[in-house]
C-alpha cells in the first residue's frame, strides 16, 4: 500500500500539472481508499479485482489526456493562471482522487482480512513492517533514478502474487490490467525521453536559436530552464548582470561566490565570466545538474573553480562555515510541493527572514547578497525587499527589469556602502504582507487565509468521503464506539506534518530527508507497538499526560535554537522532540486498539481520521506549523474525552 501510494503521488504529479500544487490530493484519496478497504472487510468475500483494473484505467487516462502547460501562451506562467492543454481541473482532479481511493481500497481490503486472523497488535506490527518495506523500496528506486515502468512492474507483481486465483477468468482479471500498466509505462519511458529525478519528470530539447545553442528544460510539463552561453544570456536578459553591478565588491574582488539554484549551469558560467575564483554551486535536483554537466555549451561544471553540492540551499547555508563575496539566489523556483506537506515548496525556507539573516552571516566584509526571478506580482517583489531590509538592517537595491512578469533583481550589501543602487527603493507599498518566517514560510500566499480554491476542493473531498463511507461501510453508527480512534488518526497526521516540515527546515527539503522522516515516523509507531506488546505500559490517562508533555515540549523549543546546534546534536534533539509525542500517541492507540471488539472497523475509523487530518494540514496557512501542535492537542483532548467509560475505568484501575 505504501509503495503504491508513493508511486501514485509521484507519477500523477509528473503528468498532471495541477497536482504540482495539490500534492496531498492523491494522499487524501489514498487514505480514504485504505480506510474504506478496512471498513469493507466482512461485507464481501470476493477478491478485489477492481483495484488493478482501476489502476490500469487511471494510467491509460493520464497518458492519453495529460495536462501540461500550453507553451504557445505568451507571458509569465504561474500556478493561479496556468493556460494548460488537456482536460480541465474540475474534470481530471475528481477522476484522480476517486481512482486513487479505489486503487488503494483493494490492497487495504486484503490487509484488513488478515487482521481478524491475528492478535490485534501482531497484525498491526506486520502492517507497519510492510509499510517500512514499501518506503525503503521506493526510496531505493528514487536513488537509482528508476523510471515509472519499474514502479509499475513492482505493483503488477504484487497484484499477481496477492490476487492469483484458481479460475481462468480470475487470472485474466489480474494478468490483463497488470500487463496494461507495465506496457503503458514502458511506452512512456521509451518515447518521452525523460529523466526521472526524485522531484520531477525532466525532459529537454536542444536546438539552435539565431546560431546560438540552447537547451530547453521542462519539468512535469512546465517550462523551467534554458541552458544558454553566458555571453548571450547577458546580452538577452539584463537581470543576470545586475547583481555584479550592484555589489561593490564584485568590481574589485570576487574570490568566492555561492549560487543557490545552480540548475543547468548558466548562472555559474556567468559568475566565472565575471572573474570568480571559486564558485559553490548548490542544486537540489541531481538530474538538472547532470543535464548541465553534459550539455551546457560553456561546460561550467567542468571548470576546476566550481564545486557542486546536491542539497537544499537553506541546509547548505546552515551547515557551511565558508564566507562569500557574493551570494546569489538564482531563480530558485521549484514548481512543486514537498510530498506530504501542505503548501510547503522545495524553496519555501529560502525566502524567510531567518534564511536571509543566515545568508548575511556568510558574507565577507564588503560582500553582497542578491536574488532574481520573475516574481509575477509587484507585492511579491516588495515583500522580498522588505524581508531583505529586515535581515540586513537597511534598504536593498531593487531593480524591476521588466513590468511584465515583474522580472526583478534585489540586492543588499553587508552595509549600504557595499551596494550601489541605481535608484533608491521607495519602500513597500500599502497592503504588502509582512516578511515570511520559518513558522509560516508561505511566500506566495498574500493574505493570512486559506485560498478559496483550497477550501472548495477540501469541502468537496469531505463530501465525497462521507458518501463513500456510507455506501461502502453502511450506517455511520457502526463507527460510533471508535470516535476516539478517529480523532487519534486526525491528530497523528498533524503531528506527522509538523515532523516533516520541521525536519525539512533543520536538515533540508530534499527527498532523502523526506524519506528518512517518513520512515522514522513509522519506526516510532512500530516501537510503540512493540513496547505495548512486550511490556506492561502505564494506563491510558498517564500516556495521555506523556503525550501532552511531548506537545508542550515541542511548542516550547524554538527552531532557531535547534538550528544553532551542531548537526549531530541537532539531529538527536530534533528526533527526541518530534518523536516523543508520536511515540506516546501510538502507545495510546496501540492500547486502545488491542482492546477493540472489531479490529477492522477500529482501524478503518483511525485511517479515515488520518484523511481528515490531511485536510486540516491547511490550517498551517492560518496558524503556522507551530500552531498545528495546538490543534493536535485539542484533538487528543477530544479523543481522551471520547474514551468508552468501561475502558477508561479499566485502564485507570490498571
Amino acid at each position: 500500500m505504501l509503495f503504491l501510494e508513493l508511486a501514485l503521488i509521484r507519477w500523477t504529479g509528473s503528468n498532471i500539472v495541477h497536482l504540482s500544487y495539490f500534492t496531498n490530493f492523491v494522499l487524501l484519496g489514498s487514505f480514504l481508499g485504505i480506510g474504506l478497504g478496512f471498513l469493507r472487510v466482512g461485507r464481501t468475500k470476493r477478491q478485489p479485482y477492481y483495484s488493478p483494473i482501476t489502476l490500469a484505467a487511471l494510467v491509460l487516462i493520464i497518458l492519453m489526456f495529460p495536462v501540461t502547460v500550453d507553451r504557445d501562451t505568451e507571458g509569465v506562467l504561474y500556478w493561479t493562471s496556468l493556460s494548460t492543454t488537456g482536460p480541465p481541473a474540475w474534470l481530471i482532479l475528481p477522476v484522480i482522487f476517486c481512482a486513487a481511493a479505489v486503487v488503494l481500497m483493494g490492497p487495504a481490503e486484503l490487509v484488513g482480512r488478515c487482521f481478524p486472523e491475528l492478535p490485534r497488535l501482531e497484525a498491526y506490527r506486520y502492517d507497519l513492517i510492510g509499510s517500512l518495506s514499501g518506503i525503503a523500496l521506493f526510496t531505493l528506486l528514487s536513488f537509482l533514478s528508476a523510471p515509472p515502468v519499474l514502479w509499475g512492474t513492482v505493483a503488477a507483481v504484487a497484484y499477481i502474487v496477492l490476487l492469483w486465483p484458481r479460475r481462468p477468468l480470475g487470472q485474466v482479471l489480474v494478468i490483463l490490467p497488470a500487463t496494461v500498466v507495465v506496457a503503458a509505462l514502458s511506452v512512456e519511458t521509451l518515447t518521452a525521453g525523460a529523466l526521472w529525478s526524485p522531484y520531477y519528470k525532466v525532459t529537454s530539447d536542444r536546438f539552435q536559436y539565431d546560431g546560438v545553442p540552447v537547451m530547453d528544460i521542462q519539468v512535469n510539463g512546465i517550462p523551467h530552464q534554458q541552458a544558454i552561453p553566458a555571453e548571450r544570456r547577458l546580452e538577452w536578459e539584463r537581470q543576470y548582470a545586475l547583481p555584479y553591478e550592484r555589489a561593490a565588491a564584485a568590481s574589485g574582488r570576487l574570490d568566492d561566490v555561492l549560487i543557490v539554484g545552480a540548475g543547468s549551469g548558466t548562472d555559474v558560467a556567468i559568475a566565472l565570466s565575471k572573474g570568480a575564483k571559486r564558485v559553490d554551486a548548490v542544486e537540489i535536483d541531481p538530474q538538472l545538474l547532470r543535464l548541465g554537466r553534459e550539455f551546457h555549451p560553456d561546460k561550467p561544471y567542468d571548470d576546476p573553480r566550481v564545486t557542486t553540492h546536491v542539497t537544499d540551499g537553506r541546509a547548505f547555508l546552515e551547515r557551511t562555515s565558508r564566507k562569500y563575496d557574493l551570494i546569489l539566489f538564482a531563480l530558485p523556483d521549484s514548481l512543486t510541493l514537498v510530498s506530504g506537506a501542505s503548501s510547503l515548496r522545495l524553496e519555501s525556507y529560502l525566502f524567510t527572514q531567518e534564511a536571509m539573516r543566515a545568508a548575511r552571516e556568510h558574507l565577507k566584509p564588503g560582500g553582497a547578497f542578491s536574488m532574481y526571478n520573475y516574481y509575477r506580482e509587484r507585492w511579491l517583489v516588495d515583500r522580498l525587499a522588505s524581508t531583505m531590509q529586515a535581515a540586513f538592517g537597511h534598504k536593498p537595491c531593487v531593480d524591476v527589469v521588466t513590468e511584465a512578469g515583474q522580472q526583478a533583481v534585489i540586492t543588499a550589501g553587508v552595509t549600504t556602502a557595499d551596494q550601489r543602487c541605481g535608484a533608491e527603493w521607495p519602500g513597500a507599498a500599502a497592503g504588502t504582507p509582512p516578511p515570511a518566517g520559518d513558522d509560516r514560510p508561505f511566500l506566495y500566499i498574500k493574505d493570512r487565509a486559506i485560498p478559496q480554491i483550497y477550501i472548495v476542493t477540501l469541502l468537496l473531498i469531505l463530501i465525497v468521503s462521507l458518501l463513500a463511507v456510507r455506501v461502502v461501510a453502511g450506517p455511520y453508527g457502526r463507527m460510533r464506539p471508535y470516535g476516539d480512534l478517529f480523532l487519534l488518526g486526525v491528530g497523528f497526521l498533524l503531528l506527522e506534518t509538523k515532523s516533516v516540515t520541521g525536519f525539512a527546515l533543520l536538515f533540508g527539503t530534499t527527498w532523502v530527508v523526506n524519506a528518512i522522516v517518513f520512515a522514522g515516523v513509522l519506526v516510532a509507531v512500530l516501537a510503540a507497538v512493540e513496547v505495548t506488546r512486550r511490556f506492561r505500559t502505564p494506563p491510558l490517562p498517564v500516556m495521555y499526560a506523556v503525550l501532552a508533555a511531548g506537545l508542550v515540549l515541542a511548542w516550547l523549543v524554538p527552531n532557531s535554537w535547534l538550528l544553532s546546534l551542531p548537526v549531530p546534536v541537532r539531529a538527536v534533539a530534533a528526533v527526541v522532540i518530534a518523536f516523543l509525542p508520536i511515540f506516546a500517541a501510538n502507545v495510546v492507540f496501540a492500547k486502545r486498539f488491542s482492546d477493540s471488539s472489531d479490529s477492522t472497523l477500529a482501524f478503518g475509523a483511525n485511517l479515515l481520521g488520518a484523511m481528515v487530518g490531511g485536510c486540516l494540514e491547511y490550517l498551517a496557512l492560518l496558524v503556522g506549523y507551530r500552531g498545528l501542535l495546538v490543534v493536535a492537542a485539542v484533538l487528543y483532548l477530544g479523543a481522551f474525552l471520547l474514551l468508552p467509560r468501561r475502558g477508561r475505568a479499566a485502564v485507570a484501575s490498571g
Side-chain angles (χ1 to χ4, degrees):
M1 287 190 296
L2 244 296
F3 182 90
L4 196 55
E5 176 186 308
L6 293 172
L8 280 175
I9 290 172
R10 280 281 289 111
W11 185 75
T12 54
S14 69
N15 288 284
I16 305 296
V17 70
H18 305 300
L19 291 175
S20 293
Y21 306 94
F22 290 97
T23 298
N24 72 345
F25 197 82
V26 178
L27 182 72
L28 295 177
S30 299
F31 273 124
L32 173 62
I34 296 171
L36 292 176
F38 273 83
L39 295 176
R40 185 177 159 85
V41 172
R43 300 177 68 86
T44 178
K45 293 184 178 181
R46 295 178 180 176
Q47 290 284 67
Y49 298 125
Y50 58 82
S51 180
I53 293 172
T54 305
L55 178 61
L58 178 63
V59 169
L60 291 176
I61 289 171
I62 290 179
L63 289 180
M64 292 171 65
F65 305 103
V67 180
T68 59
V69 170
D70 185 356
R71 293 182 179 84
D72 293 330
T73 303
E74 294 184 359
V76 178
L77 303 167
Y78 54 105
W79 77 275
T80 54
S81 64
L82 289 176
S83 177
T84 59
T85 61
W90 60 265
L91 177 60
I92 193 66
L93 290 182
V95 169
I96 292 174
F97 177 80
C98 294
V102 175
V103 168
L104 269 296
M105 187 166 66
E109 187 176 343
L110 295 177
V111 174
R113 291 177 185 175
C114 299
F115 268 54
E117 300 176 10
L118 295 168
R120 301 278 192 272
L121 296 185
E122 184 74 11
Y124 189 29
R125 174 173 175 259
Y126 281 118
D127 178 63
L128 290 168
I129 293 172
S131 298
L132 280 166
S133 302
I135 285 181
L137 180 57
F138 193 79
T139 301
L140 175 62
L141 293 179
S142 296
F143 175 76
L144 298 174
S145 299
V149 63
L150 291 183
W151 314 347
T153 301
V154 171
V157 170
Y159 273 124
I160 291 172
V161 171
L162 291 170
L163 295 177
W164 189 253
R166 295 179 180 178
R167 296 181 179 180
L169 178 59
Q171 295 173 5
V172 171
L173 292 176
V174 177
I175 293 178
L176 183 59
T179 304
V180 168
V181 169
V182 174
L185 294 177
S186 298
V187 172
E188 180 196 30
T189 301
L190 294 174
T191 58
L195 298 173
W196 289 87
S197 80
Y199 312 98
Y200 305 119
K201 174 184 178 180
V202 183
T203 55
S204 60
D205 181 29
R206 296 189 298 278
F207 56 89
Q208 294 278 329
Y209 176 77
D210 196 21
V212 178
V214 176
M215 179 173 61
D216 187 63
I217 300 173
Q218 303 89 38
V219 296
N220 293 352
I222 307 173
H224 190 41
Q225 295 183 14
Q226 286 187 331
I228 298 173
E231 181 181 1
R232 291 305 180 93
R233 178 63 88 181
L234 290 169
E235 290 178 9
W236 293 346
E237 294 189 75
R238 185 166 176 262
Q239 72 167 352
Y240 288 88
L242 279 170
Y244 302 92
E245 297 174 13
R246 299 295 179 236
S251 59
R253 185 188 72 251
L254 201 60
D255 294 335
D256 294 282
V257 176
L258 169 62
I259 297 177
V260 175
S264 54
T266 297
D267 305 278
V268 177
I270 291 172
L272 295 174
S273 73
K274 294 292 184 179
K277 296 179 182 177
R278 186 181 189 280
V279 178
D280 279 325
V282 176
E283 171 56 47
I284 198 170
D285 194 302
Q287 295 294 9
L288 294 179
L289 206 62
R290 172 185 167 186
L291 284 173
R293 182 173 283 112
E294 293 182 5
F295 300 112
H296 195 287
D298 291 339
K299 297 293 182 182
Y301 293 128
D302 292 342
D303 194 296
R305 292 173 290 175
V306 177
T307 304
T308 58
H309 307 268
V310 181
T311 187
D312 169 67
R314 176 69 182 276
F316 182 85
L317 281 172
E318 297 293 348
R319 294 172 189 167
T320 187
S321 58
R322 296 191 66 89
K323 301 280 188 176
Y324 298 93
D325 300 298
L326 180 64
I327 296 177
L328 282 176
F329 283 4
L331 293 93
D333 188 357
S334 66
L335 304 173
T336 193
L337 302 179
V338 177
S339 178
S342 62
S343 296
L344 185 67
R345 299 163 68 93
L346 294 180
E347 79 278 9
S348 286
Y349 287 123
L350 277 177
F351 295 118
T352 64
Q353 191 170 328
E354 295 88 343
M356 294 187 189
R357 285 178 186 154
R360 186 182 187 278
E361 292 170 0
H362 285 85
L363 290 173
K364 297 178 182 178
F369 166 66
S370 186
M371 65 175 79
Y372 47 80
N373 208 331
Y374 290 89
Y375 292 111
R376 291 93 167 177
E377 301 283 353
R378 180 64 202 213
W379 66 262
L380 188 53
V381 176
D382 283 345
R383 184 178 201 179
L384 287 167
S386 297
T387 307
M388 199 178 291
Q389 181 180 14
F392 281 76
H394 58 81
K395 284 185 177 181
C397 303
V398 179
D399 294 280
V400 178
V401 181
T402 60
E403 293 291 339
Q406 290 295 312
Q407 185 187 28
V409 182
I410 311 171
T411 310
V414 173
T415 67
T416 53
D418 302 319
Q419 62 189 45
R420 299 178 297 189
C421 299
E424 184 181 4
W425 174 55
T432 300
D438 283 347
D439 188 49
R440 289 187 69 253
F442 311 119
L443 176 67
Y444 307 106
I445 304 294
K446 184 177 182 180
D447 302 313
R448 198 182 185 97
I450 302 175
Q452 186 177 359
I453 189 172
Y454 285 163
I455 294 175
V456 172
T457 302
L458 294 174
L459 285 176
L460 291 174
I461 286 174
L462 291 175
I463 291 171
V464 170
S465 301
L466 285 172
L467 295 174
V469 170
R470 181 64 178 82
V471 170
V472 171
Y476 297 114
R478 293 179 63 213
M479 289 186 289
R480 189 174 301 162
Y482 306 111
D484 59 325
L485 291 176
F486 175 85
L487 291 181
L488 287 175
V490 182
F492 175 74
L493 235 292
L494 295 182
L495 287 184
E496 184 179 64
T497 298
K498 179 64 173 66
S499 298
V500 170
T501 55
F503 277 81
L505 169 63
L506 297 174
F507 304 103
T509 56
T510 63
W511 68 277
V512 176
V513 171
N514 206 36
I516 290 174
V517 174
F518 276 122
V521 168
L522 288 175
V523 168
V525 177
L526 182 60
V529 172
E530 291 298 320
V531 168
T532 306
R533 285 178 65 241
R534 298 174 184 275
F535 304 99
R536 185 174 180 178
T537 54
L540 280 178
V542 174
M543 290 310 305
Y544 268 107
V546 174
L547 170 57
L551 293 173
V552 170
L553 177 64
W555 168 268
L556 291 176
V557 177
N559 287 323
S560 57
W561 180 76
L562 290 172
L563 285 169
S564 68
L565 300 174
V567 173
V569 179
R570 185 194 311 168
V572 173
V575 166
V576 171
I577 293 169
F579 291 155
L580 174 60
I582 289 176
F583 175 81
N586 280 279
V587 170
V588 169
F589 171 78
K591 289 174 70 68
R592 175 72 177 89
F593 179 63
S594 64
D595 293 332
S596 61
S597 58
D598 188 328
S599 61
T600 56
L601 198 59
F603 204 64
N606 182 255
L607 288 165
L608 292 176
M611 193 212 72
V612 174
C615 294
L616 292 184
E617 287 178 9
Y618 288 92
L619 287 176
L621 299 175
L622 294 175
V623 301
Y625 287 120
R626 193 161 169 252
L628 291 183
L629 293 171
V630 176
V631 180
V634 172
L635 291 165
Y636 284 123
L637 176 60
F640 177 74
L641 295 176
L642 286 178
L643 268 176
R645 292 184 180 180
R646 288 179 302 168
R648 198 183 306 179
V651 296
S653 64

